[in-house]
Amino acid sequence: MPFWNKKTEKWLIVGLGNPGEKYTRNRHNIGFMCLDEFSHAHNVSLTRNRARAKIGEGKIADKDVILVKPSTFVNLSGEAVGKLVRKHGVKPERLIVVYDELDLPIGTIRLRLGGSSGHNGIKSIVEHIGSEEFFRVRV
C-alpha cells in the first residue's frame, strides 16, 4: 500500500526556512515558499503559533495534516519539529520535510525516505526526533 493511502495517523509537513524579512527570498527559505504555496492550494491557513512554529491543521486527500513553518533558524529546526512530533504522536515515517538543496539543478525536486543528514536543518531534526526515517523533499 502506498505511504499516502494509510488512514490512521496525522501527517506533519514541514517547510524549512529562516525567520525575518531579510531572509524572505533567500535560498534557505525555499521550504517556507513551498509550504506557503501548498497551504494556499489546499486552503490550510498557517495562523497558529505553537512549539516555536507557525502551524495550520486541515485535511488533504482525506488525510489529517499539520503544516509547519518553524520560527527558529534553519539550523535549529529540530527544536520545533521535535516538540510537534511528540505532541501529536507523529511517527517519523509520517513526517515530510521540504528544504533547499544546492546540489540540485534549479527546478528539480527529489523525494526520499531517510538518508544522510548533511543539511544542518535535517541534522537538527534527526537529533530531536531520534530517527532518520522521514521523508525529505529537496528543492
Side-chain angles (χ1 to χ4, degrees):
M1 179 181 296
F3 74 91
W4 193 253
N5 287 339
K6 298 178 183 175
K7 292 186 177 187
T8 57
E9 301 171 40
K10 289 183 183 180
W11 286 83
L12 197 68
I13 304 172
V14 179
L16 299 188
N18 286 317
E21 214 169 296
K22 80 178 199 177
Y23 298 106
T24 301
R25 305 296 295 164
N26 185 290
R27 70 171 178 85
H28 279 307
N29 279 27
I30 194 71
F32 278 5
M33 293 178 222
C34 289
L35 208 68
D36 286 340
E37 290 296 321
F38 193 71
S39 70
H40 179 72
H42 295 284
N43 201 28
V44 177
S45 298
L46 294 162
T47 55
R48 295 190 5 227
N49 289 306
R50 299 280 188 275
R52 300 187 72 192
K54 272 194 153 175
I55 70 167
E57 294 186 57
K59 282 197 177 284
I60 298 174
D62 293 327
K63 308 297 178 238
D64 292 323
V65 297
I66 303 166
L67 304 183
V68 179
K69 287 172 54 177
S71 58
T72 60
F73 284 90
V74 169
N75 296 351
L76 303 174
S77 298
E79 294 175 11
V81 175
K83 286 179 184 176
L84 290 166
V85 162
R86 286 185 296 281
K87 177 181 178 173
H88 294 282
V90 175
K91 293 180 180 175
E93 61 269 16
R94 299 263 181 205
L95 170 63
I96 301 171
V97 180
V98 183
Y99 63 100
D100 66 298
E101 176 60 66
L102 274 180
D103 293 337
L104 293 177
I106 292 175
T108 302
I109 296 172
R110 185 169 290 152
L111 172 66
R112 179 178 180 174
L113 174 61
S116 64
S117 51
H119 185 279
N120 287 332
I122 297 300
K123 285 180 188 176
S124 177
I125 292 170
V126 168
E127 180 180 308
H128 283 85
I129 70 168
S131 175
E132 291 188 346
E133 295 304 309
F134 56 90
F135 287 94
R136 299 133 194 253
V137 179
R138 297 186 294 172
V139 182

